[in-house]
Amino acid sequence: MEKLDGVIFDLDGVITDTAEYHYRAWKELAKRVGITIDREFNENLKGVSRMDSLEQILAYGGRLGDFNDEEKSEMANWKNELYKEMITDIKPTDILPGVVSFLDELKMAGVRTAVASASKNAETILEALKIRDQFDFVVDAAEIKNSKPNPEIFLKALELLALSADVCVGLEDAAAGIDSIKGAGIRAVGIGDAKILSHADIVLEGTEQLRLKTLEALA
């Protein structure tokens, strides 16, 4: 890559780790309808929209046809309210290692940034972390019809940044997110397990390894 003009971030697992709160909220919701989920199953929900996550849980428990759309909407809203209660204490110290210095590095280099998260609470979380002003744009998940691995959310981020895919890099910690980035024609950087994120162009073990030169080196 001759020049890096834009970096598109996922939120959960890349900027801060709210995945545990999501897991606990989904687990409680599943329990209410007689379904037991574990952390292994929860890996399937990372990067996936709220309603699609609910559908996966109900299918897993053999209860997919037991609820109408209105009931499912109420269930998803209940889960989200519980999740929002859980994250009220989130603070700047919950930002993952190396993210703040990496954002400073990008800003100094004039690299534009966006957040492409399936979370409809992304703005709230970024404000609580006190880093909302570090991002040029936050994609409104409510406007996205197709959840990851569909590339729609990253295509929207490109549109907001007014940049082409070949001068951008996407950061994700979930396989569905990596596929979403690649589907948008963007180079993908995975954060986490190389086996799970095998479709990424490069995989870093953790956010503390994020460096502008590392991203610019992607061929």
Side-chain angles (χ1 to χ4, degrees):
M1 182 183 293
E2 292 184 4
K3 189 174 186 297
L4 179 64
D5 291 327
V7 176
I8 305 171
F9 293 72
D10 178 36
L11 176 62
D12 295 336
V14 174
I15 297 173
T16 188
D17 192 1
T18 58
E20 178 65 19
Y21 299 114
H22 279 296
Y23 168 62
R24 285 161 51 189
W26 279 128
K27 187 177 179 67
E28 193 61 33
L29 183 280
K31 183 180 176 181
R32 283 167 63 94
V33 294
I35 299 171
T36 301
I37 64 170
D38 56 19
R39 294 181 187 279
E40 184 179 357
F41 173 81
N42 189 62
E43 289 295 315
N44 300 311
L45 308 183
K46 287 187 175 181
V48 179
S49 73
R50 194 181 306 158
M51 289 308 298
D52 285 348
S53 293
L54 176 59
E55 295 279 347
Q56 285 197 41
I57 290 170
L58 294 176
Y60 179 72
R63 301 207 60 188
L64 192 56
D66 294 350
F67 305 95
N68 60 37
D69 288 346
E70 183 178 350
E71 289 170 326
K72 285 190 282 191
S73 179
E74 289 176 357
M75 292 163 70
N77 287 336
W78 183 90
K79 177 267 175 183
N80 190 52
E81 290 305 312
L82 178 59
Y83 169 75
K84 287 195 292 185
E85 285 179 26
M86 291 177 174
I87 63 170
T88 51
D89 293 332
I90 200 166
K91 51 194 178 299
T93 53
D94 292 314
I95 299 172
L96 290 172
V99 171
V100 172
S101 59
F102 179 58
L103 286 169
D104 288 341
E105 188 182 10
L106 294 179
K107 189 168 283 288
M108 286 189 66
V111 178
R112 292 164 68 77
T113 53
V115 174
S117 169
S119 174
K120 293 179 181 178
N121 302 300
E123 289 272 8
T124 302
I125 293 170
L126 291 172
E127 290 286 357
L129 294 172
K130 301 189 184 306
I131 54 171
R132 172 61 186 88
D133 61 345
Q134 291 286 82
F135 297 95
D136 295 297
F137 298 100
V138 176
V139 178
D140 184 355
E143 295 182 358
I144 302 301
K145 296 178 181 178
N146 303 295
S147 63
K148 303 170 186 177
N150 187 286
E152 182 182 359
I153 194 165
F154 283 97
L155 291 171
K156 181 64 177 178
L158 289 176
E159 181 185 326
L160 291 170
L161 291 168
L163 294 172
S164 58
D166 62 325
V167 294
C168 292
V169 164
L171 310 178
E172 269 280 2
D173 74 318
I178 295 296
D179 289 342
S180 179
I181 294 171
K182 299 295 287 183
I186 304 169
R187 291 173 179 83
V189 175
I191 308 290
D193 190 331
K195 292 180 181 177
I196 296 174
L197 307 174
S198 59
H199 293 173
D201 293 286
I202 185 174
V203 178
L204 307 177
E205 290 183 3
T207 52
E208 66 278 359
Q209 295 180 351
L210 285 169
R211 300 285 189 282
L212 179 56
K213 65 180 181 180
T214 303
L215 272 57
E216 288 179 329
L218 286 177

